[in-house]
Amino acid sequence: MGETSRLLKTRVKEHRSRNSSAVHEHCKLTSHSVDSSKTKVLTMESNTFKCRIREAIEIRLCNPSLNRDNG
């Protein structure tokens, strides 16, 4: 989860290659991989305030295990 103006494909690639990324750490520890074709944008919002509120709600509802933010 997170906000970006870059393409989803770009963000997934960054997460896989950045050592500080929770996704990268998970893949390294578990030998799992990220299937880019199965990633998707959950929602889009152009208003920054609304975007951050929506992100916090999604984090609370979904409780993604790889997200370090508590929402």
Side-chain angles (χ1 to χ4, degrees):
M1 304 221 169
E3 65 182 80
T4 184
S5 59
R6 293 187 308 285
L7 295 172
L8 178 61
K9 179 180 173 181
T10 303
R11 287 297 290 140
V12 170
K13 187 175 180 180
E14 290 171 353
H15 277 295
R16 286 194 306 215
S17 63
R18 189 171 292 145
N19 290 339
S20 61
S21 165
V23 174
H24 175 82
E25 289 176 16
H26 172 78
C27 290
K28 189 175 176 181
L29 289 172
T30 62
S31 298
H32 291 166
S33 61
V34 176
D35 185 350
S36 299
S37 69
K38 293 184 180 179
T39 60
K40 65 181 180 176
V41 174
L42 298 177
T43 188
M44 294 176 70
E45 176 59 61
S46 58
N47 179 288
T48 303
F49 178 75
K50 289 180 180 180
C51 180
R52 291 188 178 159
I53 296 296
R54 183 66 186 181
E55 180 182 12
I57 291 169
E58 290 291 339
I59 291 170
R60 290 285 183 151
L61 290 175
C62 298
N63 194 25
S65 60
L66 294 179
N67 198 316
R68 293 178 177 152
D69 186 342
N70 293 325

